[in-house]
């Protein structure tokens, strides 16, 4: 029963994360930012309020929660196989290859795919999964501190001739945006093949996402090892303490991000330092959200019922994530409807996509054990074996 509860709350968290992802993507018009100009003051206010609120809650946190749960899921699978006397690592490597294929297909539709990055960075779990928990925590802590960005800061501080590499994000996203605003499907497909995956990976690299994702994978694995998602008195106390610490850390960090330009004029120092501090702030608030959801899920009747509605949605996270790309691409890209809307309407579109997907997930999971793409992924993972 305890293991079932642990997986249920993880699925609820995963559903919350995927909901946040679709809302963020819709507010970004799936990376096109093609908004209709608004003259009405009330609509301007609504746009600002919705944009600020959604990004405050989900921006940089939903994907992080998704990454943390990826590491947690790896622990569940690896631990289950260890109990049967099997070594899951090579099979997981094959599973990552399959995920990379999913990601590459997704990048033909959407310019912000993360699955291929997860597949590559997921190799880090194979490398550290037999290390002690203490060693994994040390490695994860070093990574979450953003060592590559600190290297840029210190290089700029102590080397007067230091010049960072020129950003390549625009090189990839400029042609993507141009074609996705005006091109047909074949033109869009061509530019997606050339620039989509490279643009996404370049942006992630330049914004410190690679070490952060690896760290979150490892933290998720440790959460599984320590039974941190299980309800007991000790964990409850840790959740409450963790929420307090996370909030105390978050607000000064976010304030510091906004203050830095007033005191640092050297962009070679300012830019990586902002990446560092903002990533810390996002991890702090993501931690607060996870702990809050754990307390609500376990400690309140109405909250538990509400969050339980996300469990089927979270169980079908791969299916829902990939289908979001198809729906979003069709709505916002020129090969589909090419819709240009206000931020408020984009938000409502995101809510509609979530509600339709969540309803479908409930219908599907009442009839089947796995989501459509989850089933294919599982079958392909264990191809060539009888035991699954």
């Amino acid at each position: 029963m305890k293991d079932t509860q642990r997986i249920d709350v993880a699925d609820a968290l995963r559903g919350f994360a995927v909901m946040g992802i679709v809302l963020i993507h819709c507010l970004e018009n799936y990376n096109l930012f093609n908004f209709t100009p608004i003259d009405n003051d009330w609509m301007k206010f609504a746009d600002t309020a919705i944009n600020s609120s959604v990004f405050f809650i989900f921006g940089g946190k939903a994907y992080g929660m998704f990454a943390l749960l990826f590491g947690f899921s790896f622990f569940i699978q690896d631990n289950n196989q260890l109990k049967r006397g099997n070594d899951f690592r090579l099979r997981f490597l094959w599973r990552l290859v399959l995920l990379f294929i999913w990601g590459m297909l997704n990048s033909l539709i959407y310019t912000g795919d993360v699955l291929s990055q997860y597949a590559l960075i997921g190799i880090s779990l194979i490398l550290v999964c037999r290390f002690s928990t203490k060693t994994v925590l040390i490695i994860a802590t070093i990574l979450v501190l953003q060592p590559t960005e600190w290297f840029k800061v210190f290089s700029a501080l102590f080397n007067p001739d230091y010049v960072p590499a020129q950003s390549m994000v625009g090189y990839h996203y400029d042609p993507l945006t141009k074609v996705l605003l005006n091109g047909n499907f074949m033109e869009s497909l061509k530019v997606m093949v050339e620039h989509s995956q490279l643009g996404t990976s370049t942006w992630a690299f330049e914004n410190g996402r690679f070490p952060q994702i690896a760290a979150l994978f490892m933290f998720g694995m440790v959460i599984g090892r320590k039974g941190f998602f299980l309800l007991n008195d000790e964990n409850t106390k840790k959740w409450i303490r963790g929420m307090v610490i996370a909030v105390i850390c978050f607000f000064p960090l976010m304030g510091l991000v906004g203050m830095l330009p007033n005191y640092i004029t050297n962009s070679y120092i300012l830019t990586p330092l902002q990446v560092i501090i903002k990533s810390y702030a996002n991890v702090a608030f993501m931690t607060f959200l996870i702990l809050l959801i754990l307390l609500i899920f376990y400690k309140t009747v109405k909250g538990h019922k509400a969050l339980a509605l996300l469990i089927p949605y979270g169980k079908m996270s791969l299916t829902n994530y990939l289908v979001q790309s198809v729906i979003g691409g069709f709505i916002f890209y020129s090969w589909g409807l090419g819709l240009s809307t206000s931020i408020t309407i984009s938000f409502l579109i995101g809510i509609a996509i979530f509600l339709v997907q969540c309803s479908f997930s409930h219908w599907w999971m009442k009839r089947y054990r796995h989501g459509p793409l989850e089933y294919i992924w599982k079958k392909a993972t264990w191809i060539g074996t009888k035991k699954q």
Side-chain angles (χ1 to χ4, degrees), residues 186-307:
M186 292 308 298
E187 290 170 337
S188 298
L189 186 61
K190 182 177 183 295
V191 77
M192 291 293 246
V193 169
E194 293 175 353
H195 294 286
S196 179
Q197 194 58 251
L198 289 172
T200 303
S201 299
T202 299
W203 184 90
F205 177 77
E206 293 181 8
N207 285 271
R209 288 291 176 89
F210 285 175
Q212 189 179 64
I213 290 173
L216 291 171
F217 283 179
M218 294 177 199
F219 284 133
M221 183 178 68
V222 170
I223 284 172
R225 285 186 183 183
K226 305 298 286 186
F228 191 69
F229 284 167
L230 295 175
L231 176 62
N232 55 53
D233 292 340
E234 183 181 356
N235 277 345
T236 301
K237 293 176 182 177
K238 289 179 180 177
W239 297 341
I240 295 172
R241 286 199 300 267
M243 284 177 61
V244 173
I245 294 170
V247 169
I248 290 174
C249 292
F250 171 72
F251 287 104
L253 287 169
M254 278 305 295
L256 187 58
V257 172
M259 292 170 57
L260 284 175
N262 297 326
Y263 300 97
I264 300 175
T265 57
N266 186 338
S267 63
Y268 298 163
I269 299 173
L270 176 62
T271 299
L273 201 54
Q274 285 182 313
V275 169
I276 292 167
I277 304 302
K278 190 172 183 179
S279 73
Y280 294 173
N282 285 339
V283 169
F285 195 76
M286 179 202 72
T287 302
F288 170 81
L289 282 176
I290 290 173
L291 298 177
L292 177 63
I293 290 171
L294 287 172
L295 287 169
I296 292 173
F297 185 87
Y298 284 122
K299 294 295 186 177
T300 65
V301 176
K302 291 183 179 179
H304 178 89
K305 289 181 179 179
L307 288 169

Side-chain angles (χ1 to χ4, degrees), residues 1 5 9 24 28 31 46 106 109 119 122 133 136-137 146 157 164 188 213 260 267 356 365 367 370 379 384:
M1 181 63 178
Q5 287 180 330
V9 75
I24 289 288
E28 296 172 338
N31 278 343
N106 190 42
I109 301 295
T133 297
V136 174
L137 284 174
Q146 297 287 355
L157 278 172
S188 298
I213 290 173
L260 284 175
S267 63
V356 170
M365 294 308 298
R367 292 161 175 79
H370 306 285
K379 284 296 183 180

